[in-house]
Structure formats: C-alpha cells, structure tokens
C-alpha cells in the first residue's frame, strides 16, 4: 500500500505505524465536568465503517509526521492524507471548540 | 540413451551438448532445453507419481502451470522438491530425481492406493480419520505425512543468498508474448520507463511455440529485432525468468526473478533469486492464456498432454513424447497443432473432434463427432479407445494424445484485489472483469483475444492508452501482419462414457466422479468443492484443472458456469520459495543487532550476552572459577552493595524534549507533576496510557528551563517516542515543544555503590564538584571529564545504592569504560550485567517490565498517590474510574520464603493458607523473583489483593507447572534500605 | 594529574574508519562528520532561517533537500526540522555553535554520535540502491535527503552527487548490521552488473 504523504508524496505503508480512528485527535479536557463520561466515549466508542474511514498513521521510518489518512476500508482506495497537526489545529479553531 | 524423440529445428543450440541425470540415469540435451523437453527427446515420458493414488504421470504442459512433472532438483543442500521439470532449464551436470514413489518410479509400492481408489475418494481423510481421536497424533498423522507431501527436503540449510529489491516504472508489462512485445515497443519508443517481465527464459511467449509467420518471415526474426530495439532503449528494462506474482494495492506488484536457477550454482556473491517490489504508475497484463484439458477415462497416462504443449515441444524444443500421436480437440487450434506436428515429421494418427462439423485443417485422418473414451498402457500411453460418430468403437495405437478443451485467459492478477472475472460465451472462458486493480489494463490472450494479430494490436493499443492516461504522448507501434483466425470451439468438458475416473486435477487426483460425489454430499459451492475435494490446490493452484471441475459442478446443479463461479485467485501466481520472501533476513541477520558502546570491551571480558529486543546486552561477566551463572551474579550484586559496580545502561531510551512549553508538555505526559521541577534536578516519572494503565516509567532531567532529557525503559523506547509525538502533534499542537531521540548519541553507564562517588571524582575535571552537598540525590548536570570531554551526570539509582549515571558522546564510551575499570581497581570496581541489575532492582522493589505489563495501574504498583488530580494528564481521568479502584485491588508487595531454602518461582499464584489452590481462591501472582545475596534467600515481587494491608502474613505460593507449593511471608517490596539512606549518602 | 584523555572509536569499533572497495564501488565509514539537529520553535521558522543564515550561508532547505554554502550544510528531516552537518575535526562542538547562533528560535540537539555515517561511491549506484531501499533512483537529485529503511534499519540517505555518491546515516548501535547490509547489497549488485560486452 502507498500512503500519499502530503509533504513527501507516495510512501510505502511499511514505513508507517497504524494507530486507528482519527477521532483520537479530539481528546476531551480532563479537568472538565463529566470528564469520565467524555473519556469513556473518546476511548472506547468508535465507528468501524465498511467504507470511508479517517485514521491515524505515523511515518515512523520517515519524517515522523502523524497523518490523518482517509481510506476506503473495502477497497483500500486512499482519498487523501493530511498532516494530523494541521487537522488538530483546525479543530481547535472551530467556533465549537472555542466556545 | 540417444535422443530418439528429438525432431528437427527448434530453439535449441545443437552445437553444445549438456549431460544430466534423472533418477541416476545419464542423458544428454542442449542449451535451450528444459528438463522436461530433454527427457521427452530422450524417450522418457514417465516423470512422476500422482499425489494420492501414485499413478504414473508425465508432463501435461510445457510451462509453469504443470501439475505432474514435479521433481527434486539438484543434490545435497541445494536439493529442491516439487520443481517443475517443464520450467527447469537444463544445465550441464543437472541432477534430478523423481519424487513421491518408493522404491522406484517404475515400481511404486503405494501404487496399490490406485487399486483401493473407491475408498480414497473425495473427503476420504475427513471420513476415515475421525475416530478414535487418540489415534490421530500417534497413527494417522504420521501415516498421512509419510504418504503425502510429494518431494522431500534436504534438511540442510540453504547455502544460497536471496535478495529483495525495489524497482520503479511508468509501465510494467507482464508477459513478453506478442501483446507484451508490441506494448513494450509502443511504450519504449515513447520514452516511458518500461519494465517488461516474462517468466520464461526466452521472450516471445506463444510465438515460440507456433509457426505462424509475421510479415511473411519467421516470428523469431521479429522477436529478435524487437528485443534488439528494446535492449537499445535505456528506458526499457527487460526481465526474463521473472514471474510477476501478485498485484497489490496502489500499483505495487511483486515479482520473483530467478537469477541463477538456470546455473549449477550461483556465481560468487550472486543471489539465486530476487524478490522485487515494483512500483508502477500503470501495468499491462499480457500473461496469455492456459489451455485446458478434457476429462475422459484414464486421461492421465504419460504421453497424454495438452495439445498446445505437444505443439510447443515439437516447435520450440524439437521434442515429442512419441512418434505416433493423436489430437483430441473441441476447437480449431488443436487442428493447427496437428499441422505443425506433421510438418515436423511426427505421425498424427487422427484428429478426434467431438464437433460433428469439425473442419478439416490438418493433412491427416479427421474423426469428427468422435471421442476418446479410454486409454491403455502400463507406464505410458499405448492405445486410445475411441467412440466414433456412428457409435462404433475403435482402438488406435499411439504414444501421445494432444488434448485441447479450449483456452482460459490468465486472469489471475486481475483478481488479486477481489474482482471476479466474467464469462465470455464466444471462447467459453472467464475473462477479466471491468473492476480490475486500478491502473491495470489487459491485452492479448489474457483479455480473451486469442489470435496473434489481436494480441499484437491490443498490446500496442493498450500501452498507448496507458501512457495517454499518464499524460504522455504515444501512438501504437505498427504491428506486423499476422494470423487472425478465430478459435471456434464448442464447449466440451468431459466424456460422459466410462466410470468417471476421468482426471480433472491431476496434481490432486480429483476426478469427475469426485466432483459428482462432492455434489451428492452437499459440497456444492465452489469454495466448498475446492476444500472437500482439494481441486485446485497445491503447487499449480488448478491452472489446468479448475474450469473442468466448475463445469462438472455446474452441470450437476443445473446452473451455468458463471453462476457457479470461479474460486478466488490469490497471490502468488506461482510458488515462491520461503527463502525469497525472507531475502537477507535470515539466521543471524533475521533482524538488525544493536550493540552498546561497551560491547567490544565486554566481549573481551568474556561477558555472556542476552538479546533484549534488538540489543545485545552483557548478562553477566563470568570470572575464573565461577562455574554457575549464580556465582557470577551474586558476586556482582555484592560488589555493587559493598564497593562500586558499572553497568552499561545506554539501551534505555533517551528523548530530548525542548521548547518553551517543554515542562507543560511533560506535565501532561506524566501522571505526576513536572511543572515545578528545578533546573539541575531529575524526577521519577510514570506514564499512563489513556485507559489508566501504566505504560512506562523513567526519569526526566531538567537541563534548562526549556530543555529536559527523558528516559524510557529499553523495551518501550520506540513506543514512548511515538506516543509523545502523537501527544505533541495531535493532542496539543499549540504547545511549543520539540522532540528528538538521543538514545544512540550518548554512552551511558550506571556507576553504583558506596564507592561510586570516589570513582567518579577521579575522572571529573577540576572544579567539578560532585560532593553530596553540591550534587545531591536526583541532581543532574552537564560537566566535563577526563580533560575537557563534555559529559552528563545524573544522580539517580536503580539499585538503591549511592549511584550515578554518567553519559559521554558514544564514540568515547569504550574508552570511558576502560578508564573506569582502570581507575577503580582499588575501590573494588566490578562490571555488572543485566542479571545483577535485575537482582538489585528486585531487592530495592523497583518495578520493571514484569510489573509494567500493560495490565497494571499506578495503584497496583503502590504509586497511586503519584497520579495528580490537580492537572490533566494522559490516563489520569480513567485511572480514577470505579473498576480500577476497588477495595480488594492488587498491590505490589514483597515475598520471602518462610524456609529460606525454598526458592520462589516466577508466575506462581498466591492463595490463603487453608484454601484450595483453585482459580476461585486466587489472591494474586508472583511477577519477579531473584536470589538475593543480601537476604540470603530467594525473594519475589508480587501483586496481592489488599497486599499493602497484609504485611507480615504468611501466604501459600503455588506453581503447579513447577511443582512447587511453599509458604512465604508478605513483606514490603523494599527489601533493602527502605528509608533510602544509602541513596542520599 | 595523569592524562585521562579518552580515545574515540568509530561506530564499527575501529580506531580508523573502515574502507571497503568492492568492484567499482567504495564504502567508507565516516566518523569525520559532526551532526546537530535543529527544530524551529513554534512560530519561529522565519526567525530561525534568518538566525542560521550566517552559519549556513543559505536558507534552511526545503522538503527532502539540502542546502549550505561552506563547511556547514543542512538537510531536511521533517516539518520544521533539519540536521546540520560539518567536518568533525573543526566542528566537534557543532551543536553549541548552532545553539548560540539560533538562541530561542530553535531547539538544537547534538547528534554526532547518534548515527553511523557511510559514504557509498561508484559510477552508478542504481543497482545497489535497488537492493537497499525503497527509493526511486530516478527521483534523486544532488542534495536529495530521504529517510527510509535499509534492511529494517531506519536510515537517512543524502545524495551528495546523484547516483554516484550517497551518504548514509544509520543508528550507531546498528552500525555492524548496516555495514553488513551495505556490503551484501554491493556484492550482489556487482555480481548482477552485466559483463562488459566483448567486441
């Protein structure tokens, strides 16, 4: 499998380590009220779609970037890859996150 | 023996003779021969015995799809079983042996199986070896293993090297027949990076086996001119003896190049095979088609082969299995084979064609509407029994029959990503579906285009289209004029007359009768049919067999063949040796070895090494007179406690953490606080996973306001770095923090024991004060030693003694170890290994990998109070959940045997006295044990329910595997210096 | 006070760098290169570029590239991350030099001994590269810097001169395994080179 690294172009999946659902980026605030419920959701309740899935890959044998890769789990077609850092920053800057 | 069945012409070099042996007998052949063609030329038809019934067999094919002619090639360590004689290139001195027979190929004792065939039908193993169960391991399995398995292994290590490599292309062309060559010309001339791979050693594909002219000249002229042009193009790579074995995701293909299989042995440093990973923008499958047989009674005698193979042996290899041959075909192509054979001087007794309107093409007897209903002959074909169109029977003497039931496009690679081929009525075969792997197109016979002209044209056009997709300008290369006859066939799968011992799968001995039995017993889906009968399994994966089986099943179920459906094709296309998959990763090179800076020195000391992940670490340093490892380890432990010891701890992970927010970052990574750690100080830190379980522990030393060095355990160094990068990039990208591993940059040694300060004082430069006042417990700093060399000093202790860790740039590590040993002699300096390190930490009650096993919490480890509730850190929230803070939760405790002579065993479970040692009464388990020279007995660390409240109690320590059941006292895990006075001395 | 000076060893354990000559290819151990990693502090990439310019004589290199005008050169290792290299003899304190130049605009870490360096030189290294790493030789330009695996060992590959000189840095503790992998690949590639045609 080739991962289309946003900086380096297609790189072999053997250079990467897989983590899982990209929703892991949205970590709840541990000091907020109801944090235990939020963490339960965050850590254990994931979708397992047969189809389009956004997931985290680490370019461990490359530039050490964490990527958010959008992959069709049925066909392995890869629809895109972004730097996870950019995705995380964008999520923080949504009005919802600021509120 | 003379080459009595050698014909004229052919692509062999008669100027040279090669001698070879088969089952010990000497023969000769020529360069260009395969083992099978040379044996046929020498009058040998019998080449093997079948898998189940041990029936005599000869080659069915002339290529890699061969099910029968499997031999053990070469001798001694290079002996390789199940090698196809039809693809093994002849070399001088080649030695081959038949397999799956005893005592000889001509007389095989297990041929008796054939007489009992009615008991050995489909599902035989499943039905017969069911009971009694106790018989399985002792009787049935050894018996089956002896009888089955075809060839045997030499049981010696393979002396040859295998490589793996990577290639890149714009267009990978798979197969160098007319379609592939025309495609390569088109793409090569357009300047694209082209790889043309063919499994054969002579490119040309089916052109080599036929005699049709191209542009009114022999096809070999066009092949030679084409290859010469392609060779002259620097952008084209021609790969013969290279099988593309799989189509993987995103344009990655696997290919096996047999670099030296055609040589007696590889040349010096030459790999025998290379497994290539080919990354290509587009691929073009020009893999041709495989002929299929027709089922009829006793259609497996040596001499009966596919018509196309008979034709290939005659045209390309100038060999024939017999001088009198017959053709049995349901299509026009079989007739054209007869034409070629007649031209070579072979007597074709008749062309037998079940089609009543069969055309007359060859200049020999035509038996239209006739069928072969049985054959005779002992170790090879002697007579064919025919049923003629008028219903009469005829016996025909012949030594070979060329059988053709039509051609199946080689669609395999198009299915490797899940596509199912679709049925084409015109050629009565499956052709590639539209949803083939992205970027892969198909041309020639593989696409169902079965004429030479069609192959040339579609090859050139498909290549031009592929390049156009890539934005390159290409026009199809002009192709020579070539035959363009339709194949014209009437589907005909098997002869109904007879008992049904008509072979469909010759490799697995599956007959028409077996498929009918599978149907009768309910195994009707093709995937069930395959597993029940073994149809299509083993080395040939049913390339010549599957269609026949499908057709019979379709007929039984009353469904069409496409409704019955093909089984799934998976890589590899042909078998690949394990050694090729392994490449260089075998034996000592199975994985890289990591050596610590003191490795060479330790080896000089006679250290015993242990593998810790990829690292080699000194386990202990035996001294003269120490005949047991415990003697060495006890000595090293006592030397640390009494004097000073040095241990190489470079293997611990070291991560440089810098940035304005470095402290904030570590505060979130570790469950305990780091924000207020002073510069020049080190702190123990515990990392939790987000689920609240302990992940790793170590220390973080603050070298500056914005600079920490974090250590991890050896085993978790990579995982912790990954975890920290995840936190940095994904969780808190707004923090100013940068990470880099420095594990390898520094040689780091633990210097431990009451004399450690005295030893270090001898190497630190003038003005560096390491007194207890200036450099107290948990201090750290950048200093210079040995005359200006930069070093880092940490006052941390794993052993519980006054101890330091000192680090220098790795290139100086070897010299520093030697210097410490030289300068510390009078202080009792002693190198110690990982075993003593373990004893010291167990005596001190420090958790390590055995305790941090992913199932333990901070509270279990007795570190519950470290988890700060005043801040957010990874794992803190879920560590507080109800299930992880139950009142009878386990706690880390120490154990010491009531009778000091009793050893404690790791893995033992704990039970209250007077209770039965069953799971329901389990109170906990022993994680780490050691013999403590300090305590004079075995000691252990263990997790025990409410352990911290039970100090002083006596508990049962039971190990049913070790046969041990002893009593031990529950004690503090800190066996030594529980107040920590030694650390602070 | 006695002379306590410590003598360095190369990554392969020698007092002199190891040199292997196989066919037309030379493999040389390179302990003579000092390395320091440089990462931009958050939001300070422009300031860092400016601060490093006097030392580097160039801007910090872009993705997968190298830059540098004099003794000190840099190659890209990741987003906002680089490694600087210089002759060890004159720049053993490279990390300190860089840190004093960049101040709080960048994080600097000494990396000289984290890596075992090897120079691979020959007329055409394509064949060796094919057996070593998943790198397209045609993608290499002078100065291309990549991180990839060589026989399971994570390495930096820096193209000094496309297809004729490669600088390879692998983890120092794996130096012996890496050297073995390089030698095996060179021997293999040399054996596969077509014999010069006889005319």
């Amino acid at each position: 499998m080739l991962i289309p690294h946003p900086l380096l172009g297609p790189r072999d999946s053997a250079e990467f380590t897989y983590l899982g659902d990209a929703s892991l980026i949205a970590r709840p605030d541990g000091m907020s009220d109801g944090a235990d419920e939020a963490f339960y959701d965050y850590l254990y309740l994931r979708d397992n779609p047969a189809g389009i899935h956004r997931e985290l890959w680490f370019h461990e044998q490359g530039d050490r970037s964490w990527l958010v890769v959008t992959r069709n789990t049925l066909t392995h077609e890869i629809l895109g890859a972004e730097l996870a850092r950019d995705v995380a920053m964008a999520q923080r800057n949504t009005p919802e996150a600021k509120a | 023996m003379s080459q009595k069945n050698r014909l004229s012409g052919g692509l062999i070099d008669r100027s040279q003779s090669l001698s070879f042996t088969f089952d010990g007998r000497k023969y000769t052949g020529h360069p260009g021969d395969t083992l099978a063609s040379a044996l046929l030329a020498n009058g040998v038809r019998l080449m093997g015995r079948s898998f189940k019934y041990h029936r005599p067999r000869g080659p069915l094919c002339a290529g890699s799809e061969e099910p029968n002619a499997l031999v053990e090639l070469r001798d001694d360590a290079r002996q390789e079983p199940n090698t196809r004689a039809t693809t093994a290139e002849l070399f001088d001195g080649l030695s081959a042996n038949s397999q799956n027979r005893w005592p000889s190929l001509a007389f095989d004792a297990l041929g008796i199986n054939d007489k009992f065939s009615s008991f050995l039908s489909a599902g035989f193993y499943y039905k017969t070896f069911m009971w009694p169960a106790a018989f399985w391991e002792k009787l049935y399995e050894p018996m089956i293993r002896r009888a089955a398995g075809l060839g045997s292994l030499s049981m010696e290590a393979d002396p040859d090297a295998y490589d793996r490599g990577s290639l890149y292309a714009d267009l990978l062309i798979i197969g160098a027949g007319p379609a592939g060559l025309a495609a390569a010309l088109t793409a090569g001339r357009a300047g694209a990076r082209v790889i043309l791979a063919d499994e054969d050693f002579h490119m040309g594909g089916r052109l080599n086996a036929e005699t049709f002219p191209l542009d009114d000249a022999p096809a070999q002229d066009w092949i030679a001119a084409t290859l010469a042009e392609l060779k002259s193009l620097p952008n084209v790579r021609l790969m013969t003896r290279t099988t593309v074995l799989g189509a993987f995701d995103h344009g990655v293909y696997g290919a096996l190049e047999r670099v030296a299989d055609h040589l007696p042995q590889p040349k010096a440093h030459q790999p025998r095979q290379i497994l290539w990973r080919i990354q290509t923008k587009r691929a073009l499958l020009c893999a041709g088609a495989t002929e299929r047989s027709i089922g009829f009674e006793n259609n497996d005698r040596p001499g009966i082969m596919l018509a196309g193979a008979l034709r290939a042996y005659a045209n390309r290899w100038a060999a024939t299995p017999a001088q009198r041959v017959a053709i049995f075909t349901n299509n026009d192509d079989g007739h054209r084979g007869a034409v070629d054979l007649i031209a070579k001087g072979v007597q074709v007794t008749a062309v037998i064609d079940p089609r009543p309107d069969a055309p007359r093409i060859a200049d020999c007897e035509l038996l239209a509407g006739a069928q072969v209903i049985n054959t005779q002959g002992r170790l090879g074909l002697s007579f064919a029994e025919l049923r003629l169109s008028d219903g009469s029977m005829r016996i025909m003497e012949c030594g070979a029959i060329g059988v053709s039931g039509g051609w199946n496009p080689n669609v395999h690679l198009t299915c490797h990503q899940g596509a199912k081929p679709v049925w084409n009525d015109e050629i009565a075969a499956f052709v590639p579906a539209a949803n083939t792997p992205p970027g892969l197109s198909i041309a020639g016979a593989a696409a169902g285009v079965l004429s030479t002209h069609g192959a040339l044209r579609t090859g050139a056009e498909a290549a031009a289209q592929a390049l156009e997709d890539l934005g390159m300008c290409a026009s199809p290369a002009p192709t020579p004029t070539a035959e363009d006859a339709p194949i014209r066939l009437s589907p005909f799968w098997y002869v109904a007359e007879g008992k049904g011992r008509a072979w469909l799968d010759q490799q697995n001995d599956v007959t028409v009768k077996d498929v009918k039995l599978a149907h009768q017993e309910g195994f009707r889906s093709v995937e069930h049919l395959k597993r029940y009968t073994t149809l299509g399994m083993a080395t040939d994966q049913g390339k010549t067999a599957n269609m026949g089986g499908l057709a019979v099943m379709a007929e039984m179920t009353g469904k069409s063949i496409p409704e019955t459906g093909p089984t799934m094709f998976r890589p590899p296309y042909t078998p690949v040796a394990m050694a090729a998959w392994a490449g260089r990763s075998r034996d000592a090179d199975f994985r890289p070895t990591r050596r610590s800076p003191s490795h060479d020195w330790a080896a000089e000391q006679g250290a015993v090494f242990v593998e810790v992940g990829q690292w080699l670490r000194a386990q202990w340093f035996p001294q003269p007179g120490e005949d047991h490892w415990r003697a060495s380890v006890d000595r090293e432990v006592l030397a640390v406690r009494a004097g000073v010891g040095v241990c190489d701890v470079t293997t611990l992970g070291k991560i440089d953490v810098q940035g304005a927010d470095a402290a904030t970052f570590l505060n979130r990574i570790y469950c305990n606080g780091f924000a207020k750690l002073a510069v020049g100080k080190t702190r123990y830190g515990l990392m939790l996973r987000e689920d609240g379980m302990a992940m790793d522990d170590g220390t973080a030393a603050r070298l500056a306001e914005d600079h920490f060095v974090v250590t991890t355990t050896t085993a978790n160094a990579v995982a912790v770095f990954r975890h920290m990068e995840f936190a940095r990039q994904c969780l808190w990208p707004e923090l100013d923090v940068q990470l880099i591993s420095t594990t390898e940059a520094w040689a780091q040694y633990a210097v431990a024991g009451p004399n450690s300060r005295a030893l270090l004082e001898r190497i630190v430069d003038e003005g560096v004060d390491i007194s207890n006042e200036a450099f107290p417990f948990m201090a750290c700093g950048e200093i210079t030693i040995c005359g200006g060399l930069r070093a880092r000093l940490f006052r941390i202790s794993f052993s519980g003694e006054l101890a330091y860790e000192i680090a220098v740039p790795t290139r100086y590590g070897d010299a520093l170890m030697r210097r410490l040993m030289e300068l510390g002699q009078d202080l009792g300096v002693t190198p110690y290994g990982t075993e003593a390190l373990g004893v010291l930490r167990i005596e001190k009650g420090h958790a390590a990998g055995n305790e941090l096993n992913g199932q333990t919490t901070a509270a279990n480890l007795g570190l519950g109070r470290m988890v700060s509730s005043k801040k957010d850190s990874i794992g803190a929230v879920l560590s507080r959940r109800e299930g992880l803070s139950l009142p009878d939760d386990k706690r880390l405790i120490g154990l010491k045997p009531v009778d000091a002579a009793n050893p404690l065993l790791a893995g033992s479970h704990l039970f209250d006295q007077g209770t039965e040692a069953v799971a329901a009464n389990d109170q906990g388990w022993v994680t780490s044990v050691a013999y403590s020279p300090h305590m004079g007995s075995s000691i252990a660390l263990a997790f025990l329910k409410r352990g911290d409240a039970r100090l002083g109690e006596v508990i049962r320590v039971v190990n049913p595997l070790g046969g041990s059941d002893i009593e031990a006292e529950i004690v503090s895990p800190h066996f030594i210096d529980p107040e920590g006075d030694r650390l602070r001395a | 006070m006695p002379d306590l000076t410590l003598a360095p060893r190369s990554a392969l354990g020698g007092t002199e760098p190891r040199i292997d000559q196989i066919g037309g290819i030379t493999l040389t151990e390179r302990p003579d290169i000092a390395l320091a990693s440089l990462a931009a502090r958050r939001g300070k990439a422009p300031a860092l570029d400016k601060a490093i310019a006097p030392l580097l004589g160039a801007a910090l290199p872009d993705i997968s590239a190298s830059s540098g005008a004099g003794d000190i050169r840099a190659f890209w290792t990741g987003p906002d991350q680089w490694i600087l290299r210089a002759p060890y003899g004159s720049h053993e304190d490279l990390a300190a030099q860089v840190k004093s130049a960049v101040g709080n605009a960048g994080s600097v870490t000494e990396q000289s001994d984290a890596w075992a360096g090897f120079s691979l030189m020959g007329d055409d290294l394509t064949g060796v590269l094919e057996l070593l790493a998943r790198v397209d030789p045609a993608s290499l330009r002078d100065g291309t810097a990549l991180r990839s695996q060589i026989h399971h060992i994570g390495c930096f590959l820096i193209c000094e001169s496309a297809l004729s000189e490669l600088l390879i840095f692998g983890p120092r503790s794996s130096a012996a395994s890496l050297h073995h992998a390089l030698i095996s690949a060179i021997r293999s590639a040399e054996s596969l080179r077509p014999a010069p045609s006889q005319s």
Side-chain angles (χ1 to χ4, degrees), chain C residues 1-2 16-17 24 32 34 47 51 65 69 90 100 102 117 122 124 135 143 145 148 163 173 195:
Chain C
M1 190 153 175
E16 293 295 325
D32 58 328
S90 49
S100 73
V102 304
D124 182 1
V135 170
S148 192
L163 297 179
S173 66

Side-chain angles (χ1 to χ4, degrees), chain B residues 913-962:
Chain B
Q913 286 176 304
T915 64
E916 201 186 344
V918 294
N921 295 331
D922 191 39
Q923 296 295 300
W925 66 93
V926 173
T927 55
S928 298
V929 297
Y931 176 79
S932 165
H934 175 75
M935 301 291 290
S937 76
S938 171
I939 60 169
L941 299 179
F943 287 116
L944 174 66
K945 284 183 183 173
R946 296 181 298 104
D948 51 343
R950 298 175 66 176
L951 299 185
E953 285 180 29
V954 170
I955 199 158
R956 274 175 73 194
V957 184
V958 182
N959 191 323
L961 286 175

Side-chain angles (χ1 to χ4, degrees), chain B residues 529-547:
Chain B
L529 170 66
K530 173 173 175 171
R531 274 122 195 120
Y532 193 60
T533 62
T534 69
L535 174 80
M537 293 193 178
T539 67
D540 65 338
Q541 289 287 294
K543 289 191 180 68
T544 58
N546 287 341
M547 275 301 298

